[in-house]
Amino acid sequence: MDAGEQTLALTSNGGLPMVIYWGARLPDDEDLAQLAASARHDLTGGMIDQLPALTLSPESGRAFAGQPGLICAEADGTPLHPVFSFDRAEHSACSLSLICSAMGLTLAHRITAQPTGVFTLQTVLEADRDIRLHWLAAPVLPAPQAADTMIDLHGRWVREFHLNHVPWAPGIRMREARTGRSGHEHPPYLILPETGCTNTSGSAFALHYAWSGGHRMVAEELPDGRRQVQFGATTGAETQAKRRFETAELVALHSTIGLNGIAAAFQRDTRDRVVKWPNPARPRPVHYNCWEAIYFDHSLADLSDIADRAAALGAERFVLDDGWFGRRDDDTTSLGDWTIDRTKWPDGLQPLIAHVKSLGMTFGLWFEPEMVNPDSDLFRAHPDWMLGPVDQVTGRHQLVLDLSKPQVRDYLFDAVSAILAGHDIDYIKWDHNRLLPVVDAVQSHGAYDLFDRLRAAHPGVEIESCASGGGRIDAGILARTHRVWLSDCIDAEERLRMQHDAALFLPSCVTGSHVGALHSHTTGRALPMAFRAWVAAQRHFGFEMDPRKISGADAAVLSEVTAWYKANRVWMMAGTILRLDSADPTVTSEMQLAADGGRFVLFAGQNAQTVQILPRPLRLTGLDPAALYRITLRNAGDAPPQSRGPNALKNGPLTLSGRALMGQGILLPVAWPATMWVVEGERL
């Protein structure tokens, strides 16, 4: 099968199929029989007399020496070790289902070549009786052996999306998210670069498990040298015996042009296939979110004043955050009571919404539907709706509602839907601040059902996935939402790095990024407005500070950057983020390249003082070597007093070939730390 520029080839010797080739696209006339023959291994001492195959679900019943892809048992707990026989293949122009059976079990592996250039793979297990499932992997793929390291992710609250470069070694690298979310700690992504791969060159493979409820990843090097990668739901997530189980989709891709090939494919797939836009032609609106301006201290007068100022700065959507419902004066009460607080809002939300609309902005509202405070009318009425043990420890003063219960989902649907139906709201910020007290896949299925019902009932409403910031970012949730809140930290220095690394997986159009206050609410760091604004303008742009407290000079800078974002957002949001290989570790740089290649913008963020006196050349990527490009430094006025030389970009545009820009690169002016250079390019 071919998907874009990659090929996946499989064979079967009568049992479960196995991958014999995954990599760059093969010629159409490749002899697959010869390819299968070329994949046969030798035998040597210390081995059994036949090498157990590394199949799409490695089988414990065939003496496979590594992690099996299926661990199950009879309903009474008796272990099962099925040895599957190949039954049939069902295929269409872009999909293939490989079906095998044993012991009253049917195992199907479904592979689809998506038009966005990725493969999606899913495993389905069916039984003729109730059985118990301990582990089911999505179709298992071989990992490259011409590789020294793998790249997975780690993070925490306000420090998400950091890259782990982990050496391959004999044995298992296992990561398991057991918090009921895709998680800050290790979200379900893995990149497998071959040795020598950089952002702009070399071979790499990547996998993403599209599931929001916690996952397990196993990257294993067997004693014989073969390598496998498995992804599935958290071990033990299926708590009930039943007759049918399925994994989420595993998204798989290969790049021959470095990590940027991985990034471009993931970005395209998320934007063009996964996210279901209410209005794809609508430009991504500039947000204003009031959280860091007022927290729980709501009043119509203050928020109307803030809305006036936000609109004057260029905001197009006003989002009222936490604190509008129940008796919500802090985070200890009222989650679950989704009725308007008449103490704060005696006339309801309509006066604020009307004022926001009169300013030309749309209105958005914060919810956290999956949670409940013990101090709430809902919990007092329905303590049995809580997920987990009665004596559990709360998290952020809250508990989790059991979304496996239809009556809980019905209540939440009715409560949220009533607010949406009764008000002119085009956006929900959907939060999820509590880790789950137990592991159970039905909770995530229940959440998906609630999202799906609300989307069907209110198809024009966009939804943002927020989970204490970036705790639930995956293709499973993005199939039901339209934006992710990458982190609760909007310190521009932290965001610059986070956004850069998250670009390996996420496009600009779904990645919310806001301009924060002068003194960051999560780090205390003070950064210049120009730096804060340009970092936010790299993604889906907005601001979150109190506009009553910014200076006239800062307001002018923010207005200018907002206008620039509006003028460029259509092509940027449809384009590709390409990470650059900077020779200077104090510079974090990327390009955003238009879909037709006709224009680009280069962002080069200075993180710290450099070791050398002058900036090193910065090589661009993704350009036509034979074309000429006019490049212009958009913000030459941000040069510090120490920049006193004849750098050409400070004085006007340059015209250079794509080959020169990618081969030698460009020289930017000297910069202070917390400076972002913005270079615009146009193909002539």
Side-chain angles (χ1 to χ4, degrees):
M1 296 181 68
D2 298 319
E5 296 303 313
Q6 61 176 331
T7 293
L8 193 63
L10 304 100
T11 191
S12 171
N13 59 4
L16 285 171
M18 58 184 171
V19 174
I20 54 171
Y21 178 88
W22 178 31
R25 185 164 180 156
L26 294 173
D28 291 342
D29 61 354
E30 186 78 43
D31 188 328
L32 297 183
Q34 289 290 290
L35 186 67
S38 73
R40 295 175 191 151
H41 286 271
D42 201 356
L43 295 172
T44 188
M47 301 175 68
I48 60 175
D49 294 335
Q50 181 176 336
L51 183 67
L54 176 52
T55 66
L56 294 176
S57 286
E59 296 161 280
S60 58
R62 291 189 187 270
F64 182 73
Q67 170 70 33
L70 169 64
I71 303 175
C72 60
E74 298 286 5
D76 65 3
T78 303
L80 290 168
H81 297 282
V83 176
F84 287 94
S85 298
F86 183 74
D87 288 345
R88 66 190 186 279
E90 299 173 353
H91 56 85
S92 66
C94 60
S95 66
L96 176 67
S97 291
L98 302 166
I99 296 141
C100 301
S101 60
M103 300 174 65
L105 308 178
T106 300
L107 193 63
H109 297 100
R110 299 173 178 171
I111 305 170
T112 303
Q114 299 291 352
T116 51
V118 305
F119 288 111
T120 54
L121 306 96
Q122 186 178 33
T123 303
V124 178
L125 175 66
E126 295 182 307
D128 61 6
R129 62 203 182 276
D130 285 348
I131 63 169
R132 293 193 175 275
L133 181 70
H134 302 299
W135 169 245
L136 180 64
V140 177
L141 296 174
Q145 293 183 290
D148 300 319
T149 61
M150 66 187 87
I151 303 173
D152 57 30
L153 301 182
H154 74 101
R156 63 168 175 84
W157 179 66
V158 304
R159 194 180 181 274
E160 291 91 335
F161 274 87
H162 280 252
L163 303 183
N164 276 329
H165 295 260
V166 183
W168 276 100
I172 287 177
R173 164 76 169 171
M174 193 273 281
R175 291 164 66 81
E176 189 159 25
R178 300 190 64 83
T179 63
R181 308 186 298 196
S182 33
H184 294 81
E185 303 78 14
H186 31 82
Y189 302 91
L190 178 67
I191 297 177
L192 303 163
E194 294 194 332
T195 303
C197 180
T198 68
N199 282 320
T200 57
S201 66
S203 176
F205 302 77
L207 298 167
H208 166 46
Y209 192 60
W211 173 244
S212 311
H215 64 281
R216 182 173 185 251
M217 180 206 85
V218 173
E220 181 176 25
E221 181 172 306
L222 299 168
D224 55 49
R226 293 177 297 170
R227 292 169 173 172
Q228 65 160 331
V229 177
Q230 297 186 11
F231 271 98
T234 309
T235 309
E238 297 289 353
T239 58
Q240 300 297 318
K242 55 184 183 179
R243 297 190 175 204
R244 190 179 190 280
F245 305 89
E246 64 180 37
T247 69
E249 285 186 341
L250 181 67
V251 184
L253 58 98
H254 173 260
S255 166
T256 58
I257 54 173
L259 299 183
N260 280 337
I262 298 296
F266 271 134
Q267 291 169 32
R268 179 173 58 249
D269 186 57
T270 297
R271 181 187 62 233
D272 298 342
R273 179 185 69 90
V274 175
V275 176
K276 309 301 187 295
W277 301 100
N279 181 0
R282 179 186 184 185
R284 305 301 286 139
V286 176
H287 274 230
Y288 175 75
N289 184 291
C290 68
W291 175 243
E292 291 198 0
I294 60 163
Y295 294 105
F296 297 101
D297 188 14
H298 290 198
S299 79
L300 177 60
D302 285 344
L303 285 161
S304 296
D305 185 14
I306 288 171
D308 291 341
R309 296 168 187 262
L313 291 166
E316 298 166 306
R317 175 183 279 153
F318 184 96
V319 181
L320 182 64
D321 212 286
D322 194 356
W324 57 268
F325 56 92
R327 299 182 306 281
R328 184 78 164 171
D329 296 323
D330 56 34
D331 63 2
T332 67
T333 181
S334 299
L335 283 178
D337 300 340
W338 299 111
T339 56
I340 296 166
D341 182 350
R342 294 292 172 168
T343 303
K344 296 177 182 176
W345 300 101
D347 299 314
L349 297 178
Q350 295 290 12
L352 177 62
I353 295 174
H355 186 72
V356 165
K357 297 284 288 184
S358 75
L359 297 168
M361 295 188 289
T362 63
F363 187 79
L365 194 61
W366 182 94
F367 287 91
E368 192 171 3
E370 295 157 83
M371 305 296 160
V372 64
N373 287 121
D375 182 11
S376 66
D377 293 340
L378 179 67
F379 185 79
R380 283 184 284 272
H382 297 286
D384 56 314
W385 285 8
M386 178 186 70
L387 179 69
V390 173
D391 59 350
Q392 66 182 270
V393 177
T394 57
R396 200 173 180 251
H397 311 290
Q398 60 197 55
L399 303 166
V400 184
L401 291 169
D402 186 349
L403 297 188
S404 71
K405 298 179 183 293
Q407 64 270 35
V408 176
R409 299 197 302 273
D410 289 345
Y411 166 79
L412 292 172
F413 173 81
D414 291 342
V416 176
S417 191
I419 295 291
L420 296 179
H423 301 81
D424 190 355
I425 294 170
D426 80 334
Y427 181 82
I428 292 174
K429 179 181 177 183
W430 186 305
D431 219 334
H432 185 291
N433 284 305
R434 169 70 156 88
L435 307 181
L436 266 62
V438 296
V439 173
D440 197 332
V442 296
Q443 180 73 9
S444 292
H445 289 301
Y448 284 172
D449 176 71
L450 181 57
F451 275 104
D452 293 343
R453 288 174 66 187
L454 286 166
R455 286 284 309 281
H458 306 278
V461 175
E462 288 192 10
I463 303 176
E464 174 185 306
S465 173
C466 176
S468 299
R472 187 160 66 176
I473 298 177
D474 59 82
I477 205 68
L478 276 165
R480 295 159 173 87
T481 59
H482 312 91
R483 190 180 198 250
V484 294
W485 189 229
L486 195 62
S487 177
D488 282 343
C489 181
I490 51 177
D491 177 312
E493 192 166 307
E494 289 291 328
R495 275 292 185 128
L496 178 67
R497 196 274 320 147
M498 268 190 263
Q499 292 174 178
H500 187 68
D501 289 342
L504 288 168
F505 314 102
L506 300 173
S508 288
C509 55
V510 305
T511 308
S513 188
H514 293 174
V515 182
L518 172 61
H519 290 91
S520 168
H521 288 216
T522 54
T523 69
R525 187 184 286 133
L527 295 168
M529 173 57 81
F531 186 63
R532 286 179 277 149
W534 283 118
V535 168
Q538 291 181 288
R539 301 296 186 265
H540 184 192
F541 179 70
F543 25 99
E544 194 159 330
M545 86 297 288
D546 189 338
R548 299 169 298 181
K549 297 179 180 179
I550 64 175
S551 68
D554 279 357
V557 171
L558 181 54
S559 295
E560 179 185 354
V561 175
T562 302
W564 180 91
Y565 170 81
K566 289 180 177 179
N568 290 276
R569 61 183 163 186
V570 171
W571 72 262
M572 285 173 58
M573 297 298 106
T576 303
I577 306 165
L578 301 174
R579 293 159 36 111
L580 298 182
D581 293 313
S582 174
D584 185 341
T586 69
V587 176
T588 300
S589 56
E590 68 181 36
M591 289 171 57
Q592 297 198 23
L593 183 66
D596 65 0
R599 62 193 304 183
F600 66 85
V601 59
L602 162 69
F603 294 101
Q606 187 74 42
N607 301 318
Q609 292 278 20
T610 61
V611 173
Q612 72 284 345
I613 294 173
L614 295 174
R616 298 189 188 277
L618 190 59
R619 292 181 176 181
L620 277 56
T621 191
L623 304 178
D624 179 351
L628 292 176
Y629 294 84
R630 179 185 293 113
I631 61 170
T632 305
L633 182 61
R634 176 67 178 74
N635 58 332
D638 290 343
Q642 289 85 350
S643 175
R644 57 189 180 88
N647 179 270
L649 280 173
K650 291 193 298 183
N651 299 316
L654 291 172
T655 299
L656 295 167
S657 69
R659 191 175 302 281
L661 291 168
M662 294 188 293
Q664 179 165 300
I666 61 174
L667 289 174
L668 291 165
V670 168
W672 278 345
T675 297
M676 175 77 83
W677 291 127
V678 182
V679 178
E680 296 176 290
E682 182 181 7
R683 186 174 58 201
L684 301 178

